[in-house]
Amino acid sequence: TMSDVNPQEFGALQADVKTLTAEIHLLRKEMADVTAMLNQGKGGLYTIIFAAGALGSIITMSVKKLFGD
């Protein structure tokens, strides 16, 4: 019952819940930042792979033209 609840303990529990809620919000923000960085990195990786493929094909075409393959 409510009469069995210690007001000090209840207040401490409320403070703990507020602290945990703030930490969860911070973790959510940090995870969103991490996800954004990973997505940027993934885009950069795709750009590097595309550029390497394009450069490789240009080199291959040049070599074929030079040596008449």
Side-chain angles (χ1 to χ4, degrees), residues 2 5-17:
M2 283 299 287
V5 176
N6 181 334
Q8 287 179 325
E9 289 177 1
F10 186 74
L13 285 174
Q14 283 182 316
D16 288 345
V17 169

Side-chain angles (χ1 to χ4, degrees), residues 40-59:
Q40 281 181 339
K42 199 183 313 178
L45 180 63
Y46 291 146
T47 302
I48 290 169
I49 291 171
F50 175 77
L55 182 62
S57 64
I58 290 170
I59 291 171

Side-chain angles (χ1 to χ4, degrees), residues 3-57:
S3 60
D4 295 336
V5 176
N6 181 334
Q8 287 179 325
E9 289 177 1
F10 186 74
L13 285 174
Q14 283 182 316
D16 288 345
V17 169
K18 285 182 181 179
T19 300
L20 288 172
T21 302
E23 288 179 7
I24 287 172
H25 288 298
L26 180 62
L27 284 172
R28 282 184 179 168
K29 182 187 178 310
E30 288 177 358
M31 284 304 299
D33 293 344
V34 168
T35 301
M37 284 191 301
L38 287 174
N39 286 337
Q40 281 181 339
K42 199 183 313 178
L45 180 63
Y46 291 146
T47 302
I48 290 169
I49 291 171
F50 175 77
L55 182 62
S57 64

